[in-house]
Each structure stands twice: as C-alpha cells, then as structure tokens.
Amino acid sequence: MIVKEESSTIVAILDNKVDVMDYTAAFTTEEVFTSREELIRWTHDVGKKNGLVIVIKRSDVNVIGRRPRIIFACERSGAYPKRSTSMSKQNNDLEKKKRPNAIGTKKCGCPFLLKGQMLANNQDWMLKVICGLHNHHSAQYLEGHSFAGRLTNEEVSILVDLSKNNVRPKEILHTLKTRDTFNVTTMKTIYNARYKYKVRELGGRSQMQQLMSKLHDHNYIEWHRSDDDTNCVKDIFWAHPLTFDLLKAFPSVLIMDCTYKVNKYKFSLLEIVGVTSTAMTFNVGFAYLESEREDNYIWALERLKTIMQDDILPTMIVTDRELALMNAIEKIFPSATNLLCRWHISRNVLANCKKLFETNERWEAFNSSWNVLVFSATEQEYIQHLTWTDFIMHFGNMTTNRAETAHSKLKRQLCSSQGNFVTLWTKLYSLVELQHTEIKASFEKSLTTVQHSFTPSVFKELRGLVARNALDMILSESKRANLIGIDISACGCVVRHTHGLPCAHEIGEYKREGRPIPLDSVHSHWRKLDLVCTSYEKSAELSCTPKMEMIIKSFEDSDGFGKMQIKRKLKELTDPSSTFLIEPTIKDKTRGRPSQKLDKSTRRDPSRFEYVVSAQDNHSPNIMSSSTTTKKPKGQRKMSVSQTKAPKHASYIDSFPFGLRPYICGVSDVVADGNCGFRAVANLIGIGEDSWAQVRKDLVIELQSHFNDYKRVFEYAGRAEEVLHSLLYFENNPGREYWMTMPEIGHIIASKYNVVLLHISDVLNLTFLPLRSIPLSRSSHKIIAIGFVNRNHFIEVFMLPASPIPPIANSWIKYHEPCAEGWATPYKTNIIAFKDLVFEVTTQETIDLASQ
C-alpha cells in the first residue's frame, strides 16, 4: 500500500517538473542496529548532516502477529488538513485576527519514506529506503526547525540539573552545543523546556504551597503571619536548620541590615548574619517584611529569639541608623549593645557636614580630625581627642559590611528583582549550602594546619586549638611586646578589650616568665572550631502532650467554624503543601504614567552622600580650593538629592571590584595630563599634586640606587631600563610611554617612601610593600591607595581603617630582603577578607597594565 501511494506521488512530481533531490545513497545502509532507539538516533543524525529533518510517521511496535516496524518520513511530507466545521472556521478566523501573518504550513507533500523493521530471529533492527526523493531543497540551517531542535531525554536531564544550580539559559544552551556539535536547539526551546520543568515541579500547587513544601522538605525553620481577611502573607521568616548550631557556637555578634529590589512584591529583606571564629560570615535568618515599621522588626526579632537559648543571646548587634530596627532591638534584646556602623556614620558626616565648609582644605582638615577621633585606640586618646567609643567586645566587627556583602552575593545570584518567594528560596538555599561548606573547611584548616610563624614555644598551647586569624593577631601583639615589654600604658590593651585576645603587655609578661600563652587567655569565641552542641532542651521539656491537650480542649469548646479552622491549621502544620496562604499582591506605582518596561535591576538607588559628593566635589562650584576664584554661574541650580544621574565620583567607585566598594570612603581626582599617577602619589604623601615632578625624581633616584635589585624584581631582561626611561620625563602631557606603569613602579613607590601602597582597579588589585626596610609597628604604617579607572587615569582612593586589602605582589614575596619579612604579617586577615569579597582576583603574572 505504501509503495503504491509513493509511486503515484513520484509520478505527479515528475509530471509537474518539480525539483527532485535524491538522498537514497545517504540513507542506504547494511548496518544492524541493536535497539529501536539506536535506529532512530542514526536516522535523525544522517538527516541533520544532510540538512533534512526526519520524523516518525507511523510506528507499529506491539501489534500481534506482525514484526515491530517504524515508518520514517520528511517533516514536510503530507498536506495541511483543511478544517470544514464551523467551529474550526471560527477559531481559524480568530487566530488570523490575532496573528494575521503567523498562519502557514511547512507541508509540501514530500514523498521521502524509510522503513525500519525488527529482524525475525532476534531484537536487532535494519533500515530500508522506500523512497529517497525529496521535492524540496535541503535546509541550509536547521536552527529554525522545531523538531530538529528538540532536546533528548539526556539533554533535558542536563538542563534540569543546570537550572537547579542557577545556571542561566544562554549558558545552558552553550553547554548543550559544546557537548553536541550537531545540536540546533534555540533559546526558545530552552525557555520552553525550563517552563515545562517548573510547571511539572509545581504540580498544580500555588506558589505559597510550593514554598512551604520546600521549606518543610529541607527542615527549614519557618514562621509567617498573614492578613486575617485575605490570608495574604504580610511577613515571613525562615532559617536554615544548621542556623541553630551556628548561633549556639557563635552568638556574641550579630549584624542586621535591610536590602531592597530582591522580589516582585517589593518586600524589604532583613538579612541577619553572624561571624565565626575563622572570620567567616554565616546567614542566621531571612525576614521578608511588608514594611519597615517597628512592629515588623519586633515580629522578626521575636522569631529570631525563639531559636536562641535565653542564656546564649547576642552581646552586640551592629546596624545602621534605622531607628525602627534600633527600637526593636532595644525591646527584644535589651542586654545587647547596639553598635552603629562606622562606615554609615562617616557617610552621614559627609552628607550633612561637607556643605558647611567653604573650602576643600577646611573640609579635609575637619574630616582628618574626625577620623582620628572615631578611631581612637584607647580611652586616654579618646578623652584627649574629645570622646571614646571602642570599648566593646566586637571581634573586629564595627560596620555592617558583612551584611552588605551578603546582599551583593544574593543579588548576583538573583539577577532580577522580579522573582517570587520560591525563586528566592532556591537561590538562597544554594548560597547557604556553599557557605556552610566553606565554614567547615575553615575550621579544618585551623585545626590541622600549623603555620611556621607559630612554631616558637610561646604558642604551643594555642596551636591547633585557636582560629588562625586570631593567631595572626596574637603574633602581631607578640611582636609589639618585644618593643613595649610589660608597659600597660604603652600597650593600650585594645586587642584585649575588643577581641578578647592577649595583648602586648600580657604576652610580654608570659615571655618574661618563660611560659607559653595559656589557652584560657583567649576568648571562647576564637576557640570554637566545630559545630558540636549539646541538646537544646531536656527531652522532658520537649514533650508536646500539654500543648496537644490544650488544642483538643480548644477544639471541643469551639463552634463548627472554629473547629474547621483548627483542623485546617493542623493540616497545614503536618502537610505544609496544603496551606491556604496567598502570595502578596504586587505593589504597583500609582503615580505618573505607567512604564512599559519592567524594572528588573537589583542595584540600589544612590544614597544621599553620593549626591553630596557629586554636588560638592573638588570641581563643584559650591566648594572651591583656596586658590580658586571661579564663581558659581548665575542661575545654576543646586543638585537635587532625588535625581537619578550617577555622580562622577560614584562612577569612579563603580570601576572598582564590587565587594570592595563599601570599604571605599571616598576618592579624589587629579589633573588628567599624563602625570596623573605621580600627581596622585604626591598628594597622598603630603607634598601636593603640583609636586609630581619631585615624585618622578625620587623614583629615578630609588631605581638607579638599587638598579640590580629591581632588575631581579622585574624578572625579565630590559624591563628596568624601560621603567627608568619612562620616569625620566619632566614635562606636561607626556606620551603613553612615559605614563606610570603597574606593577613595576608600585614596588619603587613603596620602597622609596616606606609606605604600604594599594593599587585598585577592575583588572589588577595588588598591595606593594617596602622591599628592604625593617618593618615599623603596625600603628606607624602609612597606607596609601591609588585607583586606575577608565583604563587610562589614576586617582586617589581613601579606604576605611581595617579594610580588606588586595593580595601582596608576588615579586615582593619572592625578592624582598629578609629584614622586610614582617611587613606582610599584620595584613593577613585583611587579605583573606579581600579574597572572600572579590572572587576574581587577577594575578600579577597574567596582567601587564603598562600603558593601557
């Protein structure tokens, strides 16, 4: 029957003189296929290689009395069926009105046919060509053919796994095409497959039912409250099951901060984080709040308190100046000290005080005095400067930067501010799981790895029992003890008061007595290197019998409606996927013309201080240097805080690594004349920007005086001569060959001026230390920072004290003199913090920033 039909079709094609393409040879094979699937795969692959899409026209597999067979045809075989019913006509007409140009067909009556049949004596298959002719040309590209772009079962499995791990659709498609060079899948297919997977996973449940099911399946701690009338969620709090162990181990310090643009409901996210002994940040809980009123914060903190023991509560909580949150903390954790973030304080001083100064010189003088005041190390210094604030056991946590970093990691994962609660939980789940892995790894490092610096007998009771970063601080104090001995007034005891670690005069006393530093002199926070905790309550106290009796009594005393409510709540408790909760309504803007474009950005709006910096920077007419006589143009309007234009200096800061930006308290521009790098250094060492030529001369002298040493540091022949040539230019507007080049000149600057130089940019982040000098005490170190922006300009950068700093240049590690070894010791913790914040640290060996 098939042969007769195709013979008549071939005759019709030849009579109409249609172009005929013969692919009989391509599909003729004597190969025996061991399975039906292998036969289908071979047929599809041969079709793709020849620009044809082969489909299964008919399949007889389980027909009694006949051997299984498959009939293959071209996707363009047959004809489009005409619909004659009135209903079909109405649907067709409606579709034409909706999409007048979208209706059509690929069918052209192609006669191509193949027949696959199972052999009689076994389960093998063979293929036979019935008609190898096509009445159309082969496709040049198969990407537009939906059947050819279908995903195999294996590819669907890969797509699901990658989607679960938050891989973007375009990267999923790239992965599939890398695995199969003949893959012709398009982005639309990927999106459709992801959508089908999500619908299948949802299983007919609502978003809130799906969320509650996931939280229950993964043993998350969860609370929520909803509107009594609509049952819409108002606030929701959840925490990882490991949170209890982490909180019990490290309860002393909590950091709280709200962030925005993380969900389509426009709920604020209160992120609560803690700090381990190994300086790792861990998420305590996530609270999505309908508003930032005191009532919402009190509810969230009450939920937090329920997972903590009454005798193990935080002693210090760091926040910004969010008054509602501060009031809630005072009510729920009255014994905790609420420390305000120093970074936010400095930003508020900038926003509110800079406008009061007539010149930049006066503002810089005030700002310098302010910083000296805030960072007073002892009470005596504080009284001398005006006041004193640093007498709290904060373990080095004086800002909300850890919470800000947690915000940025989450937003990098989200990529969109239009996700729902299920999307948010999925992203947070993967982040928190990785976080716990890193924390456990940091514990093992402290327990098993003994650094060579701690081999002296004075540390023998601490090795393997105290966190490595605490040991680094103790080592720094030990070196101070060599200078000050047991003089308490010279010591200041800052480390003892703020970190709970032995300070310099204590260590000096131990050394004088010839005994090691005792383990009990270290605060228990630093000695906790595991998550092993005793049970939360006695088993007798965990009995639910009294509560169940109360529920039964309440049920018996209720009317019909009350009993139904209790039953519904009990069902939700035992089966969270049956919840009647409704996801919040999306808050739309009610003022102004509605925007057609959906804002998916997770980036925060600029803060007030950023606009102040823009409006009152060095080039602003409102604040002028004392030598400038430029007047404010008549009629010029003052910049509004609510404007959306990005400020200039904020845009410079945006050129730096994302995680480092919260630690940058400001930048200062210099004249862009080709000497900008030397101008920035001149300003930072205190001789003024116009003394850039003196900096060039100083660096020439330094390089010539130690020329052989620098030839070794620069590592390849001729580079020292090139650097010397670039420095020997003392005119304005030099060409590129005379610009400051990094990393070579960084070593010269650090060694000449005996400073710690930080170089910050989007491609090269390094710390340069003096190569030959004996280290000064940590408090005497002068740290200066320069930034490289736009790939062609240097600026001054001002970092907050104790900020993360980039890794030390490899050339310093290889070639510094033995006497300079101690320069790097105080910065180990800062470098670890930088690596945690900045994931892609470009190494010195792979980047040559010269003349870019």
Side-chain angles (χ1 to χ4, degrees), residues 491-636:
C491 173
C493 305
V494 176
V495 172
R496 168 57 69 192
H497 295 318
T498 61
H499 290 74
L501 296 173
C503 54
H505 89 273
E506 293 180 39
I507 298 174
E509 186 69 34
Y510 298 138
K511 287 184 176 180
R512 191 180 69 167
E513 296 173 0
R515 61 192 183 101
I517 301 170
L519 182 62
D520 58 11
S521 68
V522 178
H523 193 282
S524 58
H525 172 84
W526 305 107
R527 305 199 305 262
K528 187 64 176 174
L529 295 172
D530 58 50
L531 298 178
V532 178
C533 302
T534 56
S535 60
Y536 185 63
E537 294 179 355
K538 295 179 181 179
S539 58
E541 296 175 350
L542 291 175
S543 172
C544 66
T545 303
K547 300 294 183 184
M548 292 302 298
E549 291 174 351
M550 289 175 60
I551 293 173
I552 294 171
K553 186 176 185 308
S554 177
F555 180 83
E556 291 173 348
D557 295 341
S558 300
D559 57 14
F561 178 76
K563 290 180 178 179
M564 289 178 60
Q565 290 291 92
I566 293 174
K567 287 180 65 177
R568 181 172 65 83
K569 290 181 179 180
L570 288 174
K571 184 179 180 182
E572 287 185 19
L573 187 64
T574 56
D575 181 15
S577 63
S578 66
T579 181
F580 287 89
L581 282 175
I582 300 174
E583 63 180 325
T585 55
I586 299 174
K587 300 176 183 178
D588 294 322
K589 291 183 179 180
T590 57
R591 297 182 61 184
R593 183 178 179 179
S595 174
Q596 297 297 320
K597 186 177 180 181
L598 191 63
D599 181 16
K600 295 185 178 182
S601 172
T602 59
R603 187 186 180 92
R604 66 169 176 81
D605 296 327
S607 300
R608 184 186 175 199
F609 79 85
E610 293 174 297
Y611 292 118
V612 173
V613 170
S614 175
Q616 301 175 348
D617 63 7
N618 290 343
H619 301 289
S620 170
N622 297 327
I623 294 185
M624 301 174 290
S625 63
S626 57
S627 60
T628 303
T629 58
T630 305
K631 294 183 178 180
K632 181 176 178 179
K634 185 177 181 180
Q636 180 172 335

Side-chain angles (χ1 to χ4, degrees), residues 779-798:
S779 58
S780 301
H781 286 196
K782 182 175 179 61
I783 302 177
I784 63 175
I786 58 175
F788 191 62
V789 297
N790 302 332
R791 303 294 177 94
N792 62 3
H793 185 53
F794 285 97
I795 60 173
E796 301 170 54
V797 179
F798 301 100

Side-chain angles (χ1 to χ4, degrees), residues 682-850:
N683 252 348
L684 291 167
I685 64 174
I687 62 176
E689 176 182 338
D690 293 335
S691 299
W692 58 267
Q694 183 60 47
V695 173
R696 281 184 176 269
K697 292 175 185 177
D698 291 346
L699 300 184
V700 167
I701 293 171
E702 168 70 16
L703 178 56
Q704 290 177 331
S705 301
H706 305 278
F707 196 73
N708 289 331
D709 293 337
Y710 282 111
K711 286 175 69 174
R712 190 160 49 96
V713 171
F714 297 162
E715 291 192 338
Y716 67 93
R719 185 56 181 156
E721 289 80 1
E722 292 173 3
V723 174
L724 181 60
H725 172 72
S726 71
L727 292 172
L728 288 169
Y729 192 93
F730 303 96
E731 304 295 333
N732 288 319
N733 301 311
R736 279 181 173 269
E737 62 179 311
Y738 301 106
W739 290 4
M740 178 181 285
T741 56
M742 289 290 173
E744 294 83 2
I745 293 181
H747 293 291
I748 305 175
I749 293 170
S751 299
K752 175 60 183 176
Y753 299 114
N754 212 37
V755 298
V756 177
L757 173 66
L758 313 182
H759 180 274
I760 303 169
S761 74
D762 60 342
V763 292
L764 183 68
N765 295 281
L766 289 175
T767 297
F768 300 95
L769 303 173
L771 288 162
R772 294 175 301 279
S773 64
I774 297 174
L776 304 171
S777 64
R778 173 65 182 86
S779 58
S780 301
H781 286 196
K782 182 175 179 61
I783 302 177
I784 63 175
I786 58 175
F788 191 62
V789 297
N790 302 332
R791 303 294 177 94
N792 62 3
H793 185 53
F794 285 97
I795 60 173
E796 301 170 54
V797 179
F798 301 100
M799 308 290 294
L800 290 173
S803 297
I805 66 172
I808 296 169
N810 285 342
S811 296
W812 185 90
I813 296 172
K814 292 180 181 179
Y815 301 114
H816 70 272
E817 297 294 333
C819 64
E821 178 68 33
W823 275 105
T825 304
Y827 302 108
K828 291 181 179 179
T829 303
N830 307 71
I831 293 171
I832 293 171
F834 179 90
K835 291 179 178 178
D836 289 340
L837 291 171
V838 184
F839 294 97
E840 297 180 1
V841 180
T842 309
T843 59
Q844 178 182 349
E845 290 78 12
T846 58
I847 292 295
D848 182 2
L849 197 60

Side-chain angles (χ1 to χ4, degrees), residues 284-295:
V284 175
F286 305 91
Y288 290 90
L289 308 177
E290 183 183 37
S291 63
E292 293 180 72
R293 298 188 178 127
E294 187 175 325
D295 170 65

Side-chain angles (χ1 to χ4, degrees), residues 47 107 143 161 199 244 435 508 514 525 527 719 765 819 829 851:
K107 304 295 185 181
E143 277 73 11
D161 289 340
V199 170
F244 165 70
Q435 185 184 88
H525 172 84
R527 305 199 305 262
R719 185 56 181 156
N765 295 281
C819 64
T829 303
S851 303

